[in-house]
Amino acid sequence: IDGTVYMGAIKDAGATAYGKPALYSYSGSSWQQVWTTNPGVEYDNINFAVDASGYYVGGTGDSLSVFKWDGSSWSENLTPDNLGQDDSPSQVSLASYNDELYMAIKQHPDYNLQVLKYNGSAWDTIGGDANGIITTESAFNVQIEHIDGTLYLSYVTNNSAHIKSLNGSSWSEVLNWTREYIGDIELAQNGGDLYFIARSNAMASYPGGVYKVTSTSSVENLIPAENQWFIDPMALSIDSEGNVILASVKYESQDNIYPFINIYDGSSWKTLSDDFSTGLDPVAISTINTDIYYMYGNASSEDSNGNPTVIESKKYSK
C-alpha cells in the first residue's frame, strides 16, 4: 500500500485458533508492528485496511468487531449495529477506497452478501437490492479490495467465481465464471488486465489455477496441464514489468510438501531458484517495482495445531 509492504497475522492462537490481531510493516530493513497495543478482542478470521487517517482491523470470533488505530490509541469499536438478520456475520473483509472504509460481509442464516461504507458515524449499504443484498445465493470466501484505483468485490457461489467492481454506488460485473471445485479466489491487476488465482476445495480433482480475465464470462488458463508442480496456489502479485508472481505449494511426497515461487513473463513459467524446504504455510507475497517480498512460516516451529510460531521473510531483487 503506497509503497509499503504490510503483513497481518493472528498471534497467540490456541486450540480454537482464536488469537490477537497484529499488523506489521516493512521499513526497508526490518519489520515493525504498526500498533503498540492490541484491541480487547480475539479473532479467528481477520482483515485489515490502511488509509490516510489510520489502520483498521476487523474480524470474527464470537461476533463481528471492527476497530481503528490512529497511531496512538484505539478508537471506539466501529462494529455496525444495523446489519439485520441475526447480526452475526461469518466473514468480514475490509478495504480503504478514496480514504473511505468499506466492508464486505456475509451473514447467517442465509449467507447473504452485503457491502457497507462507513460514513463517520454509521454504516450505509452500497449497491444491491432495496435491503443492500448483493446476492441471495450462498456466498463464500468474500473479499473486497482496492487494486490500482478500482474497488473489487469477489466471492464464490456454488462453483462459480464472481468478480465485481464499484461503479459509483452500484456494482458492475467483471466476471461470472463457473469451474467445478473452486474454493476461493485472489485478484491481481496489471494495467487493464485482471488476473486471479483459484484455490481448490477438492485437490484430488482440481489442483487450483492461475487465470487472466478475458470477458465477463471467460478466462485464459495460464498454467499448462503438464505443469503438475502447481498445487493449490496460495498467493499472487504482479511486478512493475507485468510479470505474474505466484507463491504456491510443491508436492514432492506425502511427507515433503513445501512452498515455492514461480514467475510468468507472458509466455512461459520459470521457477525462482532458492531452497524453500524449510517453509510452511501461511504463504504471502507482494511486489514493489520488481522486488518480491515473500513471507512464510518456519516448518520447524510448527505447533500441535499445525500453525507456525515463527514467520520468516525474504526479499528478491531483479
Side-chain angles (χ1 to χ4, degrees):
I1 301 174
D2 294 332
T4 299
V5 176
Y6 292 91
M7 179 176 63
I10 293 178
K11 296 174 59 179
D12 304 323
T16 61
Y18 283 33
K20 300 174 183 178
L23 182 63
Y24 300 86
S25 65
Y26 187 67
S27 66
S29 59
S30 62
W31 290 93
Q32 306 292 330
Q33 189 158 349
V34 169
W35 50 70
T36 56
T37 62
N38 292 96
V41 65
E42 289 193 341
Y43 293 136
D44 66 346
N45 180 336
I46 56 173
N47 212 235
F48 300 91
V50 178
D51 67 17
S53 64
Y55 306 85
Y56 300 88
V57 57
T60 57
D62 293 330
S63 61
L64 166 72
S65 58
V66 182
F67 293 86
K68 179 182 178 181
W69 175 259
D70 65 8
S72 60
S73 62
W74 290 99
S75 71
E76 182 180 350
N77 192 335
L78 303 181
T79 307
D81 58 6
N82 58 338
L83 297 182
Q85 296 191 55
D86 67 357
D87 290 352
S88 57
S90 58
Q91 185 176 343
V92 56
S93 180
L94 301 177
S96 175
Y97 178 62
N98 293 335
D99 285 332
E100 295 180 303
L101 183 65
Y102 289 77
M103 177 170 61
I105 58 173
K106 64 173 187 176
Q107 301 182 69
H108 295 309
D110 301 319
Y111 295 98
N112 288 336
L113 173 61
Q114 289 181 304
V115 174
L116 310 176
K117 182 174 76 169
Y118 189 61
N119 64 23
S121 60
W123 294 84
D124 300 321
T125 57
I126 301 297
D129 62 17
N131 297 314
I133 305 299
I134 291 174
T135 178
T136 57
E137 295 182 85
S138 293
F140 299 93
N141 300 312
V142 175
Q143 296 290 332
I144 189 168
E145 49 192 325
H146 178 194
I147 306 175
D148 293 342
T150 300
L151 188 66
Y152 288 104
L153 174 68
S154 62
Y155 56 95
V156 173
T157 62
N158 192 28
N159 292 324
S160 290
H162 299 264
I163 304 173
K164 299 180 184 296
S165 62
L166 186 64
N167 182 12
S169 59
S170 61
W171 294 96
S172 299
E173 187 163 86
V174 176
L175 180 69
N176 182 352
W177 177 68
T178 298
R179 174 60 167 90
E180 195 173 19
Y181 302 125
I182 285 182
D184 66 304
I185 62 177
E186 179 181 333
L187 309 181
Q189 184 169 306
N190 177 40
D193 294 327
L194 185 65
Y195 300 81
F196 68 96
I197 55 174
R199 300 182 183 90
S200 172
N201 63 16
M203 287 182 62
S205 301
Y206 171 55
V210 182
Y211 303 92
K212 177 181 177 181
V213 175
T214 54
S215 76
T216 55
S217 60
S218 63
V219 301
E220 176 188 354
N221 183 4
L222 301 184
I223 301 180
E226 62 270 16
N227 284 354
Q228 295 302 314
W229 34 264
F230 286 97
I231 301 294
D232 198 16
M234 292 292 194
L236 184 70
S237 190
I238 298 179
D239 70 15
S240 59
E241 294 181 348
N243 297 304
V244 177
I245 317 297
L246 174 68
S248 62
V249 172
K250 188 169 186 177
Y251 181 93
E252 295 283 3
S253 68
Q254 186 172 354
D255 297 322
N256 191 16
I257 303 173
Y258 54 89
F260 74 144
I261 300 173
N262 287 279
I263 302 172
Y264 181 68
D265 63 6
S267 60
S268 62
W269 288 95
K270 298 177 176 62
T271 299
L272 194 151
S273 179
D274 200 355
D275 180 10
F276 299 106
S277 58
T278 61
L280 176 75
D281 299 346
V283 172
I285 201 161
S286 185
T287 55
I288 296 179
N289 296 320
T290 57
D291 292 336
I292 301 172
Y293 297 83
Y294 179 67
M295 289 71 78
Y296 60 97
N298 185 302
S300 64
S301 73
E302 184 177 4
D303 63 18
S304 59
N305 299 310
N307 298 313
T309 60
V310 175
I311 295 179
E312 299 183 351
S313 62
K314 293 184 177 183
K315 175 184 175 182
Y316 300 97
S317 297
K318 189 171 183 179

